[in-house]
Amino acid sequence: MDAHSPSGSGYWYGPDDRLDPPGAVLQALREYRTVEVARRRSTRDSMGMGETDLLALRYLLRTQSHGERVGPKDLSRVLGITTASTTSLIDRLVSSGHVRREPHPTDRRSLVIVPTAATDAEVRATLGDMHRRMMAVAEGLSADEARTVVSFLRRMSEAIAEPGSEGAE
């Protein structure tokens, strides 16, 4: 987008029409975030679920791929929601066929939450092409560019984290 596009305010250009690099970087971040939020909303809508549901599924699929087990308390902690909300979330995901409750293999008092094979396939079908395109962009960076981007994004995460918080994961 340029300064004259409908969604651009043009504030990142100086009075002499020269580009203000810090302003342009922040605008590019805003544009990325806007597109990313819209895509996530579209994905959630196509899968018929809310933001927390999708975040839970992503976490469950990621931990499953690493051979880890996830219980309700783990979901509560990672998602930052109450145990009552976690129970409702798991009930919704079980009802929709996205996860199963299974007995913990070593602690018969506990349950683990396991995403179904159909969920893995659905998430891959819904997000796979987008992730491949994003990976292609990241793979197009040189090692120096990648270090610069990673450093910048981590510092931005720290800059917007609330004082005293641990920042973004």
Side-chain angles (χ1 to χ4, degrees):
M1 284 186 214
D2 67 326
H4 306 291
S5 68
S7 63
S9 68
Y11 77 87
W12 60 91
Y13 286 93
D16 57 0
D17 283 339
R18 286 191 308 181
L19 181 68
D20 169 29
V25 167
L26 292 179
Q27 183 62 26
L29 278 173
R30 286 183 192 100
E31 290 167 5
Y32 169 81
R33 181 70 178 137
T34 298
V35 171
E36 189 231 358
V37 165
R39 177 60 186 224
R40 286 168 50 139
R41 184 178 305 112
S42 172
T43 298
R44 289 191 319 267
D45 291 350
S46 74
M47 293 178 74
M49 59 182 53
E51 174 77 10
T52 305
D53 301 43
L54 189 57
L55 290 172
L57 286 181
R58 286 178 50 203
Y59 176 71
L60 290 167
L61 290 166
R62 185 175 63 246
T63 56
Q64 183 182 52
S65 73
H66 292 108
E68 300 171 22
R69 295 182 182 98
V70 175
K73 286 182 184 177
D74 301 315
L75 272 178
S76 291
R77 180 184 47 77
V78 167
L79 298 172
I81 59 177
T82 66
T83 55
S85 294
T86 302
T87 299
S88 295
L89 165 74
I90 294 169
D91 288 345
R92 279 193 311 275
L93 294 175
V94 167
S95 266
S96 66
H98 287 101
V99 302
R100 295 184 310 274
R101 287 181 174 98
E102 294 183 355
H104 192 284
T106 59
D107 181 356
R108 65 183 179 169
R109 297 169 298 161
S110 298
L111 291 174
V112 292
I113 311 306
V114 180
T116 63
T119 296
D120 188 36
E122 182 180 12
V123 169
R124 287 177 189 275
T126 305
L127 299 175
D129 188 47
M130 178 185 69
H131 285 164
R132 280 187 291 281
R133 290 190 313 268
M134 291 171 67
M135 185 57 77
V137 170
E139 287 171 341
L141 297 172
S142 70
D144 285 341
E145 289 171 327
R147 277 190 288 278
T148 299
V149 170
V150 169
S151 172
F152 170 76
L153 290 174
R154 285 183 177 154
R155 289 182 299 167
M156 288 299 285
S157 294
E158 291 169 7
I160 64 172
E162 291 185 38
S165 75
E166 296 177 17
E169 278 187 13

